[in-house]
Amino acid sequence: MIQDFLQYDFIRNAAFVGLMIGFLAPMLGVFIVVRRQALIADALSHITLAGIAASLLLSKQVPTFKMLNPVYLGMAFSVAGSILIERLRKEYKHYQELAIPIILSVGIGLSVVFISLANGFNTDLFNYLFGSIIAVGTSDVWMVLLILILVVIAVVLFYKELFLLSFDEDQAQVSGIRSRFIHFMFMVMVALVIAASMRIVGILLVSSLITLPVAASIRIARGFKQTIIIAIIFGETSVITGLVSAYYFDLAPGGTIVLLAALILVLVIIWKKFRYSFGTNSKVGEEA
Amino acid sequence: MNSSIVSIKNVSFNYQERRVLENINLDVPEGSFLALLGPNGSGKSTLIKMILGLLPLQKGMISLFGQNVKKFKNWPYIGYVSQKANSFNSGFPATVFEVVSMGLFGKVGIFNFLKKHHKKRVIEAIETVGLTEYTNQNIGELSGGQQQRAFIARALVSDPQLLILDEPTVGVDASSVESFYGLLKQLNQDKGITFILVTHDIGPVTNLVTHVACLNKQLHFHGDTYEYEVLDNHEWSSFYGHPVHMMDHQH
């Protein structure tokens, strides 16, 4: 059955990319969620859409742009958006959450304008909104692989700093950690991973792959490392099961993946409740 | 040997237009236990942040271990438990072990990992504060008093010579407060760690502090505990700006 599934090149590409983002999105997601910045993923995905729309528009006007994978411009927009969010958060010290709706609406505004300039919606754009396995090409696989390698190296090297900075910024500063650099690097990684996830789950669903596995993992994990590992397991499970069932039942892969992630979350919540009411090893002060 | 661990000379600080600290002079001798008292908004936390280099020095001079704070690099010498430690995100998924090991991150340095001897230090620090059985529990599952002990362990793990605690017992129940201060006393007397304790209530700590400083924009009183006890109600009232009642807290 799996052999059957993997016989087509485009599905193999989608499976590779899926495995990689099923790993990356929840891993970064843990750091994002514990900082209570879950919505940042939404803001960045919408600004990525603006980049993709801009690229599609340019490819209509300038023939050489046809050669360029639109995800590259999407990525550039996403990184620029992450820098802007940081700047806005400094500008509005007491309303830091404002940065997210500002960037989100600018992203949508730009996208809509670019789309209308390009004379409307086409299937290509539809694929970017909701994800598609057919759209994943070999160049996407290499691009995501490169991002995977860079992000994993950065997270391993700066694990201590990222962890401390997420937990307690004051303490991080007292420990002499260069918090601004680490923070900036982290935002760039998030921007890259969001742009990379775009092909499969689509812009409108990217943030769910970042937050849902983490939301489930955080309920049951002990400690930070375990939270990351379990979140990745949940992420991979929903991506693999989602892609396979999308193929066999002819469903939209992005939506299927997200619904599976949501299903895992619901099961975890129910299981936790069940264990909490009947279990012997209920923990001290858990609900306090 | 009675050298100063922290020495503050003529320090003033403004938040925009508002003067928060005015001409502060303070010396913290090695091995002492200083209580820094003052009402809310008296500039206590500001002064602490300046000592820790979290706020810039605007006027005056601060030296740590005889070194100018601007050039000070030996941050592992100083352990800090912030006021925020008791309002942290208690849903944060980190075990006591992970939280305490954070205290070593500055020492271990960038691009490096915790080695075996570091992990041993973490386990020892957890033992010192009496949380061994909670080592692998998530920090959010502990009581307020236990969490505060975990933060002390995090500050202790890098073998500091100075521990700065900013209102460490806010939100901790009374019975835990007593044993918490017992722990501090032991650390001060057995390990010779110098303490700066920021508090607005000296009651529970009268029998462990050696020096007292009262801050309300200006430093009104700085000396050892004996002199402090001779202050009468009248002087206290002028310091707090309203009548106060002295109570005896000897247990």
Side-chain angles (χ1 to χ4, degrees):
Chain A
M1 191 165 132
I2 293 292
Q3 269 169 352
D4 182 30
F5 173 72
L6 289 176
Q7 67 179 319
Y8 299 104
D9 270 352
F10 70 91
I11 294 183
R12 223 175 307 154
N13 289 340
F16 283 140
V17 171
L19 282 176
M20 291 191 277
I21 61 170
F23 180 90
L24 282 173
M27 177 176 74
L28 292 187
V30 172
F31 293 97
I32 298 175
V33 168
V34 298
R35 290 168 183 219
R36 305 186 190 281
Q37 294 182 347
L39 284 170
I40 261 185
D42 281 293
L44 291 181
S45 65
H46 285 81
I47 205 88
T48 308
L49 174 65
I52 286 170
S55 188
L56 293 176
L57 171 65
L58 280 170
S59 65
K60 271 197 173 173
Q61 317 286 338
V62 191
T64 44
F65 255 92
K66 279 212 172 66
M67 311 288 287
L68 194 75
N69 190 335
V71 175
Y72 292 136
L73 204 54
M75 226 173 249
F77 270 59
S78 180
V79 171
S82 67
I83 295 165
L84 274 176
I85 288 178
E86 281 312 298
R87 295 233 40 109
L88 283 170
R89 287 161 71 92
K90 258 190 223 106
E91 215 56 44
Y92 288 97
K93 273 215 159 95
H94 301 285
Y95 297 97
Q96 293 202 336
E97 72 284 358
L98 260 183
I100 288 169
I102 291 173
I103 293 300
L104 194 138
S105 32
V106 169
I108 300 175
L110 281 173
S111 316
V112 172
V113 168
F114 289 146
I115 291 167
S116 66
L117 283 175
N119 284 327
F121 238 86
N122 52 27
T123 20
D124 230 12
L125 202 61
F126 189 82
N127 287 342
Y128 285 110
L129 282 180
F130 299 107
S132 153
I133 18 182
I134 307 165
V136 184
T138 321
S139 75
D140 291 302
V141 177
W142 290 113
M143 177 187 71
V144 179
L145 183 65
L146 184 69
I147 293 175
L148 176 87
I149 292 168
L150 288 177
V151 169
V152 168
I153 288 175
V155 168
V156 169
L157 282 182
F158 295 103
Y159 174 77
K160 297 194 309 293
E161 288 74 15
L162 286 167
F163 176 44
L164 181 48
L165 209 53
S166 308
F167 187 74
D168 179 346
E169 247 173 274
D170 269 358
Q171 187 70 36
Q173 266 182 299
V174 176
S175 312
I177 281 168
R178 292 168 58 201
S179 53
R180 279 181 64 187
F181 166 72
I182 302 285
H183 199 71
F184 172 76
M185 186 192 67
F186 179 72
M187 289 301 289
V188 171
M189 292 196 295
V190 173
L192 291 176
V193 168
I194 283 174
S197 317
M198 199 107 309
R199 284 285 199 191
I200 295 211
V201 282
I203 282 139
L204 297 176
L205 301 171
V206 163
S207 69
S208 52
L209 203 52
I210 287 179
T211 49
L212 288 180
V214 182
S217 164
I218 226 166
R219 304 282 302 191
I220 50 171
R222 272 209 178 166
F224 199 67
K225 277 195 181 134
Q226 213 183 80
T227 306
I228 296 178
I229 292 166
I230 296 179
I232 290 172
I233 292 172
F234 286 162
E236 293 287 20
T237 309
S238 23
V239 168
I240 296 165
T241 328
L243 283 179
V244 173
S245 42
Y247 171 73
Y248 282 106
F249 304 111
D250 201 18
L251 304 168
T256 317
I257 290 170
V258 170
L259 288 179
L260 281 166
L263 180 69
I264 291 175
L265 175 63
V266 171
L267 290 177
V268 164
I269 292 175
I270 292 172
W271 180 71
K272 190 76 197 277
K273 280 257 174 343
F274 188 75
R275 204 188 63 154
Y276 195 72
S277 338
F278 302 104
T280 43
N281 55 342
S282 48
K283 296 168 188 167
V284 208
E286 172 76 36
E287 302 294 316
Chain B
M1 182 153 143
N2 207 15
S3 57
S4 283
I5 297 273
V6 179
S7 163
I8 298 172
K9 288 204 171 60
N10 307 320
V11 163
S12 299
F13 191 82
N14 289 358
Y15 273 121
Q16 286 152 0
E17 301 290 287
R18 200 163 55 89
R19 171 140 290 200
V20 187
L21 294 173
E22 197 168 298
N23 204 21
I24 308 293
N25 286 288
L26 179 66
D27 271 297
V28 185
E30 189 177 349
S32 63
F33 197 123
L34 172 80
L36 184 59
L37 296 171
N40 287 331
S42 56
K44 291 172 299 190
S45 296
T46 306
L47 188 61
I48 293 304
K49 284 191 171 146
M50 293 183 76
I51 294 174
L52 292 167
L54 296 176
L55 285 173
L57 203 55
Q58 293 172 345
K59 191 168 163 278
M61 160 88 174
I62 296 180
S63 42
L64 305 170
F65 301 91
Q67 219 179 348
N68 189 329
V69 67
K70 288 179 192 165
K71 291 182 188 140
F72 190 73
K73 288 275 180 320
N74 289 318
W75 291 110
Y77 282 6
I78 301 178
Y80 171 51
V81 178
S82 71
Q83 213 171 352
K84 254 204 244 152
N86 42 51
S87 64
F88 74 105
N89 167 10
S90 61
F92 197 99
T95 60
V96 170
F97 185 92
E98 285 176 318
V99 170
V100 174
S101 64
M102 287 182 205
L104 281 174
F105 289 175
K107 216 172 194 173
V108 175
I110 209 156
F111 297 139
N112 265 311
F113 303 98
L114 290 182
K115 310 235 166 46
K116 241 197 183 122
H117 67 273
H118 292 126
K119 290 180 179 163
K120 215 175 125 223
R121 283 286 309 135
V122 173
I123 287 170
E124 282 166 9
I126 294 174
E127 202 184 329
T128 309
V129 299
L131 287 181
T132 305
E133 59 179 307
Y134 302 100
T135 307
N136 292 315
Q137 293 258 13
N138 276 349
I139 183 92
E141 295 166 4
L142 272 55
S143 72
Q146 290 167 332
Q147 284 173 358
Q148 212 45 265
R149 282 170 176 264
F151 289 115
I152 294 288
R154 178 175 74 169
L156 278 178
V157 73
S158 65
D159 259 325
Q161 296 173 34
L162 169 67
L163 263 186
I164 301 179
L165 313 173
D166 193 351
E167 307 253 14
T169 54
V170 173
V172 174
D173 62 285
S175 61
S176 315
V177 167
E178 206 168 316
S179 71
F180 178 74
Y181 283 131
L183 168 69
L184 299 193
K185 188 172 185 172
Q186 179 203 331
L187 292 171
N188 177 236
Q189 290 174 356
D190 300 352
K191 300 206 173 191
I193 297 172
T194 309
F195 275 85
I196 299 179
L197 173 71
V198 177
T199 177
H200 57 262
D201 177 20
I202 197 181
V205 290
T206 36
N207 56 10
L208 68 139
V209 299
T210 59
H211 292 67
V212 177
C214 301
L215 188 71
N216 198 354
K217 199 156 86 175
Q218 295 169 331
L219 201 66
H220 286 260
F221 175 79
H222 173 227
D224 64 27
T225 336
Y226 172 73
E227 295 168 58
Y228 167 82
E229 275 163 8
V230 208
L231 283 182
D232 63 15
N233 278 2
H234 179 72
E235 283 170 273
W236 272 110
S237 304
S238 69
F239 168 59
Y240 270 90
H242 58 78
V244 288
H245 301 282
M246 300 299 278
M247 283 188 284
D248 188 11
H249 278 277
Q250 300 294 340
H251 299 287

